[in-house]
Amino acid sequence: MRDNKGHFLIGDDTNVTHGMRHTRIYRTWSHLVERCNNSKCERYKNYGARGIRCEWSSFDEFAKDMYGSYLEHVESFGERNTTIDRVDNDGNYSKSNCRWATPAKQRRNKTNNRWIIFNGERRILSEWAEIYGLNVKVLFSRIKIGWDIEKALTAKLRVR
């Protein structure tokens, strides 16, 4: 059943078909279950093999917890810019650990991000590069060759 805006209504009756199988939110749930449970899934090594689980036992449970916030995020950022993100990267997929985020925000929550503390602020390398107008690769190279953080962030680029 749909509301007056055309959004699907999620009810408590588990015998009712939700009619959302071909929607983006259903595919999101289906894919996260796959990467947590299917050892043949290419992305399993980064999820299920690390012990990350989906705590929703059905799509209806997932939709009941996440559909309202999904619609709000889609309204603000569009469907293509709405992805599921775990707040704690080592935590499970659950209502308390999931949020909707843009792909850009989600990229900032990866396990392989390099965190840097500068002037008491902790940010990832790409954020510092953005703040100081540097190319990420330039900043990374400076740090890799041993520059201290302040010099790496503030030194002017050489013009050839």
Side-chain angles (χ1 to χ4, degrees):
M1 186 183 340
R2 295 178 188 240
D3 66 11
N4 60 1
K5 290 184 177 180
H7 300 137
F8 290 95
L9 299 174
I10 305 300
D12 292 332
D13 187 351
T14 57
N15 293 325
V16 177
T17 302
H18 50 70
M20 297 180 74
R21 185 173 182 172
H22 300 289
T23 63
R24 186 174 177 96
I25 190 171
Y26 183 87
R27 285 190 308 274
T28 297
W29 173 79
S30 175
H31 291 154
L32 73 87
V33 168
E34 179 85 358
R35 61 185 171 253
C36 289
N37 298 337
N38 183 354
S39 60
K40 293 183 178 170
C41 175
E42 184 179 323
R43 299 178 72 197
Y44 178 81
K45 66 182 182 286
N46 298 320
Y47 295 88
R50 286 181 46 221
I52 295 166
R53 301 285 172 252
C54 174
E55 295 184 8
W56 291 288
S57 62
S58 69
F59 173 74
D60 288 333
E61 283 184 16
F62 172 74
K64 187 176 177 186
D65 286 346
M66 301 300 293
Y67 191 52
S69 58
Y70 172 81
L71 293 175
E72 289 172 14
H73 197 276
V74 166
E75 193 169 311
S76 297
F77 299 97
E79 201 169 47
R80 292 181 60 88
N81 285 314
T82 299
T83 62
I84 195 147
D85 184 43
R86 286 171 296 120
V87 176
D88 172 4
N89 232 351
D90 295 320
N92 290 337
Y93 284 99
S94 66
K95 182 179 182 178
S96 63
N97 193 41
C98 285
R99 63 185 171 201
W100 298 102
T102 63
K105 183 174 184 176
Q106 193 174 46
R107 281 190 297 273
R108 293 187 168 164
N109 189 27
K110 293 171 62 177
T111 55
N112 64 349
N113 281 336
R114 174 126 187 211
W115 289 93
I116 296 171
I117 298 172
F118 179 62
N119 287 340
E121 262 187 272
R122 182 178 185 260
R123 296 179 181 267
I124 61 171
L125 184 129
S126 61
E127 286 179 295
W128 285 119
E130 189 177 308
I131 290 167
Y132 282 87
L134 294 169
N135 179 293
V136 174
K137 291 178 182 178
V138 168
L139 180 56
F140 180 79
S141 295
R142 289 175 171 183
I143 293 168
K144 189 175 178 181
I145 62 171
W147 288 24
D148 68 67
I149 300 303
E150 183 174 13
K151 181 179 176 184
L153 290 169
T154 59
K156 301 277 187 226
L157 291 171
R158 282 187 280 154
V159 180
R160 293 178 184 194

